[in-house]
């Protein structure tokens, strides 16, 4: 901690390939030198510790609530007491839902810091098939909204749907949409050629892709159904699925049992070169049931890739000249027909268009810094 700087506590899950964690690194790693960042991790993992060390951030750990509620709360009390010297000006909570509101109450009681609560989602990260669990979460979520509205000095959200999800309103909620490093994603024909060769994609093969967690909320089953219909129209096509999750094994079994899909669907797992991967693709398919922002779509658009998405994607991230919106009630055949009729577009750089619309990470960093300066006046 540096007494000559503005000391900030950043709260997040700090898990590998978490969109929330990637946002924290991309944004807080670019803040002005006048800010000193320490972090509190509630994800219960150590798989991004090397990145935290790279930024020279001090890390406080609390046991994941999914492992033990008792240890989770006990750790929060222990960590916050360590930080109660008053030298932290702000504690910035990055959350996906409001059901775990006790840490905010503890921070209000123990710390003198300003409290910022930042909504990064428009629904629960994980959905249970057990009705009692979902009923309990809904009840806790409702209480959490009231707590957050009462005790937050600043309320933030990545989109209007994310604001309603976390706070029940968009009133007095500042919307700061996520950003990306547009230069890393700018379309390059030479990169496209190299990556397609590595992925064994021939010149006349159309490559469709999905990127995201393989769980119900992201709707990967529907992606397979769409591709099955598309392949009937274009036999020389492939579907690339990048990501991991609880549904992966079942999806793989479904593909393996289909003679029609077996040699045309590739599970690429979790990858670290998304900007390059997107260069190689021809169409992005994103029928998500809920999104707080839709960063994966923004990344696809930044490479000039055309996309088809569900109506649940926030309008703020949709570039109409690149992205088509379909209802989830539309049939897989209708989705596939749209792709087939659009896939022969001319790919080009969209850098300036997205820069003008405020998609670059520099705009996000500037907004966060301006917010900090305002709350500390």
């Amino acid at each position: 901690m540096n007494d000559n700087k503005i000391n900030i506590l950043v709260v997040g899950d700090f898990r590998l390939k978490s969109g929330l964690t990637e946002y924290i690194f991309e944004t807080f790693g670019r803040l002005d030198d006048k800010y000193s960042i320490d972090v509190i991790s509630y994800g219960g993992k150590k798989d991004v510790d090397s990145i935290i060390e790279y930024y020279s951030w001090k890390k406080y750990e609390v046991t994941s609530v999914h492992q033990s509620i008792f240890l989770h709360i006990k750790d929060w009390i222990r960590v916050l007491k360590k930080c109660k010297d008053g030298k932290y000006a702000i504690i910035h909570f990055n959350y996906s839902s409001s059901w775990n509101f006790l840490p905010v109450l503890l921070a209000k009681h123990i710390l003198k810091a300003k409290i910022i609560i930042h909504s990064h989602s428009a629904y629960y990260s994980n959905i249970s098939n057990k009705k009692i669990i979902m009923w309990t979460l809904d009840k806790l979520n409702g209480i959490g909204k009231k707590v957050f509205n009462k005790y937050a000095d600043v309320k933030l959200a990545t989109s209007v749907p994310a604001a309603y999800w976390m706070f029940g309103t968009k009133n007095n909620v500042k919307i700061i949409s996520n950003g990306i490093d547009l230069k890393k994603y700018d379309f390059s024909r030479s990169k496209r050629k190299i990556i397609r060769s590595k992925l064994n994609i021939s010149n006349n093969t159309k490559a469709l892709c999905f990127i995201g967690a393989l769980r119900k909320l992201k709707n990967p089953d529907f992606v397979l159904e769409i591709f099955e219909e598309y392949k009937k129209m274009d036999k020389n096509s492939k579907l690339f699925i990048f990501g991991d999750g609880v549904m992966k094994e079942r999806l793989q079994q479904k593909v393996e049992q289909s003679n029609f899909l077996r040699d045309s669907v590739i599970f690429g797992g979790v990858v670290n070169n998304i900007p390059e991967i997107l260069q190689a693709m021809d169409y992005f398919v994103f029928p998500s049931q809920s999104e707080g922002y839709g960063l994966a779509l923004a990344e696809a658009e930044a490479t000039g890739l055309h996309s088809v998405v569900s109506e649940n994607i926030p309008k703020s991230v949709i570039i109409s000249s690149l992205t088509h919106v379909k209802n989830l009630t539309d049939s897989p055949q209708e989705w596939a027909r749209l792709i087939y009729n659009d896939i022969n577009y001319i790919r080009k750089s969209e850098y300036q268009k997205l820069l003008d619309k405020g998609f670059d990470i520099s705009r996000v960093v500037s907004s966060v810094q301006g917010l900090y300066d305002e709350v500390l006046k």
Side-chain angles (χ1 to χ4, degrees):
M1 186 183 297
N2 190 324
D3 292 339
N4 297 318
K5 295 188 176 185
I6 299 171
N7 300 308
I8 312 290
L9 267 177
V10 178
V11 180
D13 57 0
F14 293 98
R15 299 168 67 99
L16 188 65
K17 286 302 161 187
S18 158
L20 192 153
T21 294
E22 290 180 10
Y23 168 85
I24 290 173
F25 287 142
E26 285 291 313
T27 303
F28 293 91
R30 288 179 164 86
L31 290 183
D32 191 275
D33 285 343
K34 71 179 182 180
Y35 302 102
S36 177
I37 305 296
D38 290 336
V39 304
I40 299 177
S41 169
Y42 57 77
K45 298 290 186 180
K46 297 180 180 293
D47 44 17
V48 296
D49 280 6
S50 60
I51 304 176
I52 294 172
E53 291 171 5
Y54 169 80
Y55 287 115
S56 300
W57 297 344
K58 181 178 180 179
K59 179 190 179 189
Y60 299 97
E61 294 186 46
V62 298
T63 301
S64 169
V65 69
H66 302 292
Q67 181 180 335
S68 168
I69 295 176
F70 173 75
L71 290 177
H72 181 74
I73 299 303
K74 183 179 179 181
D75 285 349
W76 266 107
I77 295 171
R78 172 181 55 80
V79 166
L80 290 170
K81 283 183 175 179
K82 278 187 178 180
C83 303
K84 67 179 293 186
D85 56 12
K87 293 184 179 179
Y88 287 105
I90 292 170
I91 180 167
H92 189 145
F93 286 89
N94 294 276
Y95 271 177
S96 296
S97 53
S98 54
W99 62 267
N100 190 10
F101 54 83
L102 281 176
V104 173
L105 290 175
L106 291 170
K108 189 70 177 181
H109 177 70
I110 296 172
L111 294 184
K112 297 178 181 178
K114 297 287 186 179
I115 293 177
I116 295 177
I117 300 175
H118 198 157
S119 175
H120 290 266
S121 186
Y123 200 61
Y124 301 111
S125 297
N126 294 295
I127 304 171
S128 174
N129 292 324
K130 296 180 179 179
K131 290 184 179 180
I132 186 64
I133 292 178
M134 297 309 299
W135 181 86
T136 302
L137 282 177
D138 285 343
K139 291 297 181 184
L140 291 172
N141 220 48
I143 296 170
K145 289 177 183 178
K146 295 177 181 177
V147 170
F148 290 175
N149 279 305
K150 182 175 181 179
Y151 292 110
D153 293 290
V154 177
K155 296 180 290 184
L156 290 180
T158 57
S159 66
V160 171
Y164 277 107
W165 169 242
M166 188 74 78
F167 307 109
T169 179
K170 66 176 182 178
N171 295 334
N172 300 316
V173 181
K174 185 172 179 61
I175 306 297
I176 300 181
S177 55
N178 292 350
I180 56 179
D181 186 345
L182 289 177
K183 290 181 180 178
K184 288 199 305 186
Y185 289 84
D186 196 23
F187 178 61
S188 165
R189 295 192 183 280
S190 59
K191 284 183 182 179
R192 174 178 167 84
K193 186 175 181 180
I194 293 169
I195 300 300
R196 282 178 72 92
S197 177
K198 289 181 178 179
L199 294 174
N200 195 28
I201 306 172
S202 64
N203 290 335
N204 60 345
T205 296
K206 296 300 183 185
L208 283 63
C209 79
F210 166 85
I211 299 173
L214 302 182
R215 50 190 173 88
K216 186 177 179 180
L217 204 64
K218 298 292 184 177
N219 217 2
D221 271 321
F222 195 54
V223 175
L224 287 182
E225 292 173 18
I226 293 167
F227 179 67
E228 189 167 6
E229 293 298 328
Y230 179 84
K231 192 167 173 60
K232 293 175 184 177
M233 305 173 196
D234 179 7
K235 293 182 179 179
N236 194 14
S237 57
K238 292 183 178 181
L239 171 65
F240 290 82
I241 295 177
F242 296 100
D244 202 355
V246 295
M247 293 179 65
K248 184 175 182 178
E249 186 175 342
R250 183 169 65 79
L251 292 167
Q252 288 176 320
Q253 289 175 351
K254 187 175 181 179
V255 169
E256 188 60 32
Q257 291 167 2
S258 169
N259 292 330
F260 193 61
L261 296 176
R262 187 179 301 137
D263 298 324
S264 301
V265 178
I266 296 92
F267 289 86
V270 176
V271 292
N272 296 317
N273 61 334
I274 291 297
E276 289 77 20
I277 290 291
L278 288 168
Q279 304 280 347
M281 299 296 124
D282 295 299
Y283 224 90
F284 184 65
V285 187
F286 201 49
S288 185
Q289 294 178 0
S290 178
E291 288 292 330
Y293 178 66
L295 187 61
L297 173 60
E299 292 173 334
E301 291 174 328
T303 66
L305 192 62
H306 279 211
S307 306
V308 59
V309 305
S310 73
E311 73 276 20
N312 298 317
I313 307 300
K315 292 181 176 62
S316 58
V317 75
I318 293 172
I319 305 297
S320 59
S321 59
L322 299 169
T323 299
H324 298 275
V325 179
K326 292 287 286 179
N327 293 324
L328 288 177
T329 53
D330 292 338
S331 68
Q333 186 177 35
E334 290 176 282
W335 282 64
R337 175 61 62 181
L338 186 153
I339 297 170
Y340 182 78
N341 289 338
D342 185 50
I343 202 166
N344 290 312
Y345 61 92
I346 298 174
R347 188 89 167 263
K348 64 182 187 300
S349 171
E350 301 289 346
Y351 175 81
Q352 192 60 49
K353 181 184 293 182
L354 271 71
L355 185 67
D356 291 344
K357 287 184 174 289
F359 274 59
D360 194 64
I361 190 65
S362 61
R363 186 264 315 159
V364 179
V365 173
S366 177
S367 296
V368 171
Q369 290 183 167
L371 180 76
Y372 285 173
D373 290 342
E374 183 178 333
V375 77
L376 293 175
K377 283 182 181 178

